[in-house]
DNA sequence: CTGTTAGCGCATTCAA
DNA sequence: TTGAATGCGCTAACAG
């Protein structure tokens, strides 16, 4: 491997001089600068960032931990994060936790030994606290993404899940629905709690009685509990609309509904959080769409600000706006139609 | 930061002894081993992989370069790659090239200085050759993913684009189509050439005359040329079916077709390469689906085999099977229907 | 403007 | 079974 010493020897200077032209630091005469640059070119020299990291105590690497890159929301987050990191001169290490604490722990261990400069962290659940404390103990800055973790004060970028859920449910109410079910992610995830709170608020604001039988808790990874759905449909007064906690739940739900011969939106309206990605042909779901790309880009921005100490000591909390997009998966209930 | 020296001091041994228990190398008495382990626990010691990399000359990091993580095909590739890498004890650095040679070059430079142990590389185009030669000059093993690059001999995992295209087009022919257009990616990408070849072969095998007016070259990132589409539709004998080079082209095409009031599949059948991801509700496109997850996992596998010298010196070429999935976007042409 | 010294955290080699 | 010396490639701090 070519090192600064090889360059130095070739150029009849000391290694230090070479180092200085690499980093544009110190005073070097223009003559020797171009001469050394030329030699570096010729010898295909590339600085070894491991060695540099070791002495500088920084790696210029960030890591992104998300539940699942396969979810279009996080795919786009990742793209935003990668673009921002690249633009600011950082590399991005990434990992999927599948909302599993044990995978998350594995990943945190990896991250610690890699000495990344910071972590953009979308927590598996409320129980991720210890992992974050581990990071903090090792003085690795992190920014929370999307999900709040109780007891952890830090920078964070998120959407407003409560407000988004409220908008979605009020849209259903405005269409005439009164029996509205929720199929939610695990309540150990902050966004799921907030979405439930938004749902409840919408009902209350519209004087619709809450009915716990209409509230199902599953997980964000997929539609998980067919039996629960059947029970929902066999209620004396079944729901005419469902608010799905995220896109994956909504997709799974629709599939089940199709299997059961229930038409959407004719017999059942379905709305959900988060869009389905750029590749979808005929946008179908009524959703609250969050600016996923911004989530990632802004997260990296906050993280780097924090790393560089370019921020105020107080924690920053950025809340990105979401947008209600009304499409074909929701309509007035049968009973209210001509 | 806690180092082996801190541990050593605490345990009244030399740093080397600590190093040996960390790596399970050399002979250490069981007593001191557990004692040192305990102290490492207590002091929250985590080995510094930068320092280790520097001496061992390996980073246990791999990098994945793809055109765009936002494309569901590559999203799934990335997931397969990350899982495989993690399982085998490697971290994954990732980057998007957007099929741009200059972004690709930037990324290659980053990768060189990071001293990753290997690169899983989905080339921007035929012109990526120099980038690969750069990697080779620096003795960084790589495996090509999905796309062949002329003049570069190496390990590779790919699908059979020609065969897949042939199946797709023969399906259309079997349905009665004779005027079949192609909207393809750039012909500087190997898969686009092979898909075109498969198309041509299918026509020839069925004695259908080739017509260059039916062949459009765009790019894989999106549907790019509306004017060309109009020309296609205004041909004296317009196509009754289109073979789209990939999923993004197909999605863009459908959108345009909808705008123009052309119904799919009634007035125009559309088929394409690659599926649209797990999040799609109602699978619609007739596609040739490739096992994207395997692409990623197998790519990492080959790469690590190569790194470890666990392979034969000859280059390996793994071709993953693809599957024709017939769905609603294709049907018999109007002229052939009752 | 340029060079010398020292050390980042760790593992290999060889000696004790 | 353990330890001392050495070096991986680089840069900060200082000396010339």
């Amino acid at each position: 491997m070519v090192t600064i010493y090889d360059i130095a020897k070739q150029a009849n200077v000391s290694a230090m001089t070479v180092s200085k032209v690499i980093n544009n630091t110190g005073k070097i005469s223009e003559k020797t600068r171009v001469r050394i640059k030329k030699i570096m070119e010729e010898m295909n020299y590339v600085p070894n960032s491991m060695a540099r990291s070791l002495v500088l105590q920084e790696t210029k690497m960030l890591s992104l931990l998300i539940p699942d890159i396969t979810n279009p929301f996080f795919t786009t987050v990742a793209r935003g994060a990668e673009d921002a990191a690249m633009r600011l001169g950082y590399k991005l290490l990434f990992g999927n936790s599948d909302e599993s604490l044990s995978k998350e722990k594995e990943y945190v261990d990896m991250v610690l030994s890699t000495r990344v400069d910071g972590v953009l962290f979308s927590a598996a659940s409320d129980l991720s606290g210890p992992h974050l404390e581990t990071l903090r103990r090792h003085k690795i800055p992190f920014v929370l993404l999307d999900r709040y973790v109780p007891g952890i004060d830090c920078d964070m970028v998120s959407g407003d899940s409560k407000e988004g859920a409220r908008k979605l449910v009020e849209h259903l109410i405005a269409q005439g629905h009164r029996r509205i079910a929720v199929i939610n992610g695990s309540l150990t995830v902050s966004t799921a709690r907030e979405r439930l709170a938004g749902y409840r608020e919408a009902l209350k604001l519209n004087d619709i009685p809450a009915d716990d039988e209409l509230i199902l808790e599953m997980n964000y990874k997929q539609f998980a509990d067919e039996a629960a759905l059947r029970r929902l449909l066999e209620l004396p007064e079944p729901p005419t609309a469902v608010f799905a906690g995220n896109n994956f739940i909504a997709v799974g739900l629709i599939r089940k509904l199709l299997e059961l011969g229930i038409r959407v939106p004719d017999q059942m309206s379905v709305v959900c959080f988060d869009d389905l990605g750029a590749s979808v042909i005929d946008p179908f779901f009524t959703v609250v769409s969050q600016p996923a790309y911004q989530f990632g880009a802004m997260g990296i921005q906050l993280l780097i600000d924090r790393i560089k100490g370019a921020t105020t000591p107080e924690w920053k909390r950025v809340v990105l706006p979401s947008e209600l997009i009304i499409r074909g998966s929701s309509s007035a209930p049968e009973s209210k139609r001509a």
Side-chain angles (χ1 to χ4, degrees), chain A residues 27-298:
Chain A
K27 303 277 159 212
I28 302 283
S29 75
E30 197 52 28
K31 265 201 341 221
T32 59
R33 150 166 274 110
V34 300
R35 187 162 54 90
I36 290 175
K37 285 243 181 205
K38 183 150 161 291
I39 293 175
M40 294 195 311
E41 281 282 317
E42 287 168 4
M43 299 184 73
N44 295 311
Y45 171 75
V46 180
N48 182 328
S49 60
M50 297 301 123
R52 173 181 278 164
S53 294
L54 196 56
V55 24
L56 259 30
Q57 302 283 36
E58 67 164 14
T59 55
K60 287 285 183 185
M61 296 197 326
L62 267 18
S63 90
L64 173 67
L65 178 57
I66 52 182
D68 183 9
I69 187 84
T70 266
N71 182 320
F73 173 72
F74 288 111
T75 302
T76 309
V77 167
R79 187 51 147 103
E82 206 265 327
D83 285 354
M86 186 83 172
R87 186 160 33 80
L88 298 167
Y90 285 78
K91 287 146 281 178
L92 201 60
L93 221 49
F94 89 116
N96 300 102
S97 73
D98 285 324
E99 324 245 7
S100 138
L101 279 175
S102 64
K103 286 199 72 175
E104 189 172 276
K105 177 169 185 342
E106 266 186 75
Y107 192 74
V108 166
D109 289 344
M110 243 189 186
V111 145
L112 286 178
S113 77
T114 310
R115 300 295 197 267
V116 298
D117 296 338
V119 184
L120 191 50
F121 197 109
S122 189
S125 80
D126 286 354
L127 276 44
S128 296
H131 298 158
L132 295 170
E133 278 158 10
T134 300
L135 290 178
R136 190 152 278 169
R137 190 175 335 115
H138 288 270
K139 304 204 194 319
I140 300 189
F142 57 85
V143 170
L144 246 35
L145 190 71
D146 188 45
R147 301 161 177 198
Y148 165 79
V149 175
I152 305 290
D153 280 325
C154 61
D155 294 322
M156 167 154 191
V157 25
S158 72
D160 188 337
S161 277
K162 186 172 172 188
E163 153 90 0
R166 199 181 46 64
K167 283 194 286 197
L168 234 21
V169 175
E170 293 212 301
H171 159 68
L172 291 173
I173 295 172
Q175 285 188 132
H177 296 275
R178 309 266 308 169
R179 296 287 289 170
I180 301 170
V182 198
I183 302 183
N184 210 344
S186 162
L187 290 179
T188 62
V189 176
S190 69
T191 54
R193 284 195 301 280
E194 290 166 19
R195 285 165 201 185
L196 182 57
Y199 162 86
R200 290 210 147 100
E201 185 173 285
L203 294 190
K204 181 171 251 172
L205 286 171
N206 290 273
D207 293 316
I208 296 177
D211 179 351
D212 283 351
E213 286 192 307
L214 294 177
I215 298 174
L216 265 43
E217 179 180 354
M218 296 190 186
N219 69 68
Y220 280 152
K221 287 186 287 186
Q222 61 214 299
F223 183 91
D225 190 347
E226 191 162 355
L229 175 62
R230 282 179 191 279
R231 261 176 272 130
L232 203 61
L233 297 173
E234 286 162 5
L235 246 31
E237 235 187 311
T240 58
V242 180
F243 160 40
N246 81 343
N247 48 6
F248 273 17
I249 292 175
V251 167
L253 172 62
I254 294 266
R255 294 226 170 104
K256 294 295 171 209
L257 255 21
L258 282 174
E259 281 174 34
L260 298 171
I262 296 174
R263 293 189 310 281
V264 176
D266 295 357
Q267 296 167 285
M268 183 73 77
S269 288
V270 175
V271 302
C272 71
F273 236 93
D274 293 333
D275 236 315
L276 274 81
S279 65
V280 175
I281 325 137
D282 185 12
F284 171 68
F285 276 112
T286 293
V287 299
V288 158
S289 167
Q290 302 190 97
Y293 187 93
Q294 309 306 331
F295 267 63
M298 177 63 76

